[in-house]
Amino acid sequence: MIGKTIIELDRVDSTNTYARNLLRNGEAEEGLVIMASEQYAGKGQNLSTWHSEPGKNLTFSVILHPTFLEPAQQFLLNKAVSLAIAGFIGRLLSDVSVKWPNDIYVGTKKIAGILIEHNISGGRLESSVAGIGININQTRYARDIPNPVSLFQVLQREMALGEALESVCRFLDDRYSQLKKGQFALLDADYNTFLMGFGEWRSFNQGEKIFDGKIEGVDDFGRLRIRSRENKLLSFNHKEVDYIL
């Protein structure tokens, strides 16, 4: 059960790094949560950093052992985790979406980010560490952070971090259970419901090229599928294309 055991840290470089060390030492049960009040080297996608004001937000990692998935299916775990975070936030706010591949948005503002790191051994998905950051009570941000928002800024009330984490863990456990049961079609359908721009004509940025397209989903490899105006189905890896918000 996710969140049955929680390790709470005052300060750490990265909860994902802490979790990976536990895995290397054989000290990591499935569902173990590592939460930090402050990360001084929090990690985002592609070596980026995750900035969070100490004691204001949820910054935590979850250790999982999705050995029932093939390595080629690993993005299904990303879908399950994204749905859990979107579900938690969607219970409180409207206009919540998943901005492919790993961000949760409220309208045009980012409220949460996800970084999942996998350990593949012998052609098998041995373990995964899901790092999650959710803006809860923060109101001030560094100038170089684009379009951030927190629950407090929308709801105008503070939320106890312990209660928030308990709720998030329930959402994570429910979605992970669906993944374990092989309910991939359900996860895909729900993911598309939350996926920003799904089934809509939007503008995208591909390097220096701007084009219009309609998102048709994300495949098991995590590639975004976009139907062009010329009726070509295009597939993109992370950083090859981005939304124009």
Side-chain angles (χ1 to χ4, degrees):
M1 180 176 177
I2 294 175
K4 180 181 178 181
T5 303
I6 299 175
I7 296 175
E8 297 186 26
L9 306 171
D10 289 330
R11 192 169 187 264
V12 71
D13 53 353
S14 160
T15 56
N16 266 31
T17 300
Y18 189 97
R20 291 202 315 273
N21 289 335
L22 290 179
L23 282 167
R24 276 194 291 269
N25 295 331
E27 302 170 353
E29 64 188 65
E30 180 159 69
L32 176 64
V33 171
I34 300 98
M35 179 182 173
S37 177
E38 179 184 1
Q39 292 187 102
Y40 57 86
K43 299 170 67 176
Q45 285 281 356
N46 291 342
L47 303 179
S48 64
T49 56
W50 176 266
H51 299 278
S52 176
E53 187 178 349
K56 292 289 188 179
N57 304 314
L58 286 181
T59 51
F60 66 100
S61 296
V62 182
I63 292 174
L64 301 169
H65 296 286
T67 55
F68 50 88
L69 291 177
E70 297 293 329
Q73 297 176 303
Q74 61 186 259
F75 197 79
L76 284 168
L77 180 60
N78 189 296
K79 289 182 177 181
V81 173
S82 296
L83 283 170
I85 307 308
F88 163 73
I89 296 168
R91 181 177 60 88
L92 302 166
L93 306 177
S94 59
D95 197 16
V96 177
S97 63
V98 177
K99 180 177 178 288
W100 174 87
N102 62 310
D103 293 331
I104 310 299
Y105 270 58
V106 174
T108 60
K109 295 182 179 293
K110 180 177 174 179
I111 196 167
I114 298 163
L115 172 65
I116 302 181
E117 298 176 303
H118 303 283
N119 178 31
I120 299 172
S121 178
R124 184 184 182 203
L125 190 56
E126 291 283 352
S127 62
S128 300
V129 176
I132 298 164
I134 307 174
N135 294 334
I136 303 291
N137 295 319
Q138 188 163 342
T139 58
R140 293 180 296 179
Y141 308 88
R143 292 182 178 179
D144 60 344
I145 299 178
N147 300 324
V149 72
S150 68
L151 286 176
F152 177 85
Q153 289 175 297
V154 181
L155 298 174
Q156 291 299 300
R157 60 178 173 85
E158 287 197 354
M159 178 177 291
L161 295 184
E163 293 178 9
L165 180 61
E166 183 179 333
S167 180
V168 172
C169 286
R170 286 197 297 270
F171 278 92
L172 285 166
D173 200 63
D174 287 345
R175 287 299 186 178
Y176 191 60
S177 293
Q178 292 174 347
L179 192 63
K180 277 185 172 180
K181 293 174 183 175
Q183 297 176 340
F184 301 157
L186 172 64
L187 290 167
D188 285 342
D190 287 351
Y191 185 82
N192 287 340
T193 298
F194 276 101
L195 183 59
M196 182 185 288
F198 179 75
E200 304 171 357
W201 287 106
R202 298 182 69 110
S203 294
F204 297 88
N205 186 347
Q206 183 187 7
E208 297 182 357
K209 175 185 176 183
I210 294 176
F211 70 98
D212 290 338
K214 184 184 293 186
I215 293 177
E216 295 195 356
V218 178
D219 65 20
D220 288 352
F221 297 98
R223 296 175 300 202
L224 186 67
R225 297 182 299 155
I226 302 176
R227 179 76 61 179
S228 71
R229 290 283 189 186
E230 296 74 32
N231 201 33
K232 293 182 179 179
L233 185 59
L234 309 172
S235 295
F236 297 96
N237 291 307
H238 185 33
K239 293 296 185 182
E240 290 181 347
V241 70
D242 198 5
Y243 299 75
I244 296 178
L245 298 178

